[in-house]
Amino acid sequence: MPTRKAKASAASKVSAQGQSAVSFEPDTFFPFARYTSLVGVHTSLLAFTALLLPTTPTSLLLKGTSFIPDSERNAANQPRRDVMQVLTENPVRTVAWICAGALILQGWWASWVRTWSLDLRSTAKVTASPNNAEATKQKLERKGVDYGQITAFGKSVAMTVIASMLFHVVTVMFGAPISSHPLHTYLMSLLLAILTVLPPAYTLGVPSLGSDSSSLVSRLTWIRLFAELSPRNPVERALVYPAIGTMMGCWAGAIPIGLDWERPWQAWPLTPAFGAVGGCIAGSLIALVVSATLAFAQVDRQAQQAHAQAGKVKKS
């Protein structure tokens, strides 16, 4: 018959194992259902923004107002044109509409990723010191962060504008027209900045040149993510993979422009702009698949470890 001390030691082992299992929960926290649904909505709306929003008549968007142009009123009596014709007849208008829609969508997406990131940080801190006082402190910190969302979003928009200027210079250096199509080139650069810079700038914060520890950590995080391309968790993958896809899609989209097919859709910068949006969508889907696969694998591995530890306790 086991003694009381043996029973107590076994119970303490089980409780210690339970606590160790609980300590792994923040690493395995992955809102699969919500993340999947939001990625589906986000990517679908991005596709709608690129393909259908530029073809929407201004009269439909301004319905009920007195700002409808006469040309739009007269166009209502004319037969509808092909979607491809509407998208290609005015590249500046098309890319401008894509930028407007992408700005709204990326702002909404960045706000959700930022909330997800804050949840992970607060959960990790509470688990590191599990007590009611620490949990209350984290809730108060979350409320304090919410008050600064407008300021943080303003800084991220400012960084996006600055990045668009840098993208414009880089695009010209890679062969884009300098004087003949300046607005075309800048709108494409603005689209690249909206798709790649706005979400991480709002989620991670704008990197600072200060000498304090928080500024140093922020700079090192940006370097690790966008220079070393080394994301470590689902939140970082949701920021890095779409940015990589955007750049690769834009690069691939510039290839058809050099062909001598003389098609309307080869006008600058339609193919790079649509390639950037398609690459961003592909990157978001790849980030979802990779993060879900790693999360499910980690859960299965922890379940196997817990089962093995439970078998050892029963044998002892």
Side-chain angles (χ1 to χ4, degrees):
M1 295 294 292
T3 61
R4 292 184 179 180
K5 291 183 178 180
K7 292 182 179 179
S9 61
S12 62
K13 289 181 180 179
V14 173
S15 62
Q17 292 168 1
Q19 291 178 359
S20 63
V22 172
S23 65
F24 285 107
E25 288 182 1
D27 296 334
T28 60
F29 171 70
F30 182 69
F32 175 74
R34 183 167 176 78
Y35 183 31
T36 303
S37 62
L38 287 176
V39 168
V41 173
H42 180 232
T43 54
S44 300
L45 290 178
L46 275 178
F48 170 82
T49 298
L51 299 176
L52 297 180
L53 183 60
T55 65
T56 304
T58 309
S59 58
L60 181 61
L61 298 176
L62 299 178
K63 187 176 181 179
T65 66
S66 58
F67 301 101
I68 302 176
D70 295 335
S71 59
E72 292 289 345
R73 289 194 179 96
N74 298 331
N77 299 325
Q78 299 177 0
R80 294 185 61 86
R81 295 170 294 175
D82 184 66
V83 174
M84 182 64 69
Q85 180 182 358
V86 178
L87 288 174
T88 58
E89 67 180 0
N90 191 342
V92 172
R93 184 192 63 189
T94 299
V95 180
W97 273 118
I98 296 175
C99 288
L103 178 62
I104 297 174
L105 289 177
Q106 290 299 93
W108 164 72
W109 173 252
S111 65
W112 184 80
V113 177
R114 174 187 171 94
T115 302
W116 184 14
S117 176
L118 293 175
D119 287 339
L120 286 179
R121 295 175 189 175
S122 61
T123 304
K125 290 181 180 179
V126 171
T127 306
S129 55
N131 55 72
N132 295 331
E134 186 66 21
T136 304
K137 180 180 179 182
Q138 295 299 327
K139 291 181 180 180
L140 293 176
E141 288 180 358
R142 284 291 310 279
K143 291 182 179 180
V145 171
D146 291 339
Y147 292 131
Q149 285 185 351
I150 297 178
T151 303
F153 187 76
K155 291 181 179 179
S156 61
V157 170
M159 182 176 177
T160 302
V161 174
I162 296 173
S164 68
M165 299 177 184
L166 297 177
F167 282 143
H168 182 85
V169 174
V170 173
T171 306
V172 170
M173 293 176 63
F174 273 89
I178 300 177
S179 58
S180 59
H181 299 77
L183 186 57
H184 300 65
T185 305
Y186 178 74
L187 286 176
M188 194 203 69
S189 303
L190 179 61
L191 178 62
L192 289 177
I194 292 173
L195 294 177
T196 60
V197 177
L198 181 60
Y202 186 54
T203 302
L204 305 174
V206 177
S208 173
L209 299 178
S211 58
D212 56 314
S213 59
S214 60
S215 300
L216 179 61
V217 170
S218 177
R219 290 197 301 271
L220 292 178
T221 301
W222 277 84
I223 293 173
R224 175 174 59 83
L225 293 181
F226 298 102
E228 300 176 359
L229 302 179
S230 178
R232 297 175 180 173
N233 56 55
V235 174
E236 294 179 350
R237 282 188 286 271
L239 297 174
V240 175
Y241 285 13
I244 297 175
T246 299
M247 292 300 180
M248 294 181 64
C250 182
W251 182 278
I255 297 176
I257 295 181
L259 303 178
D260 57 350
W261 295 344
E262 297 182 357
R263 296 292 189 270
W265 53 265
Q266 290 179 285
W268 173 258
L270 291 179
T271 53
F274 284 106
V277 176
C280 182
I281 293 174
S284 296
L285 295 177
I286 293 174
L288 170 62
V289 173
V290 173
S291 297
T293 303
L294 293 177
F296 291 151
Q298 184 179 9
V299 170
D300 182 69
R301 183 169 60 252
Q302 291 179 2
Q304 293 179 358
Q305 292 177 355
H307 182 72
Q309 291 177 357
K312 292 180 180 179
V313 171
K314 289 181 180 180
K315 290 181 181 180
S316 60

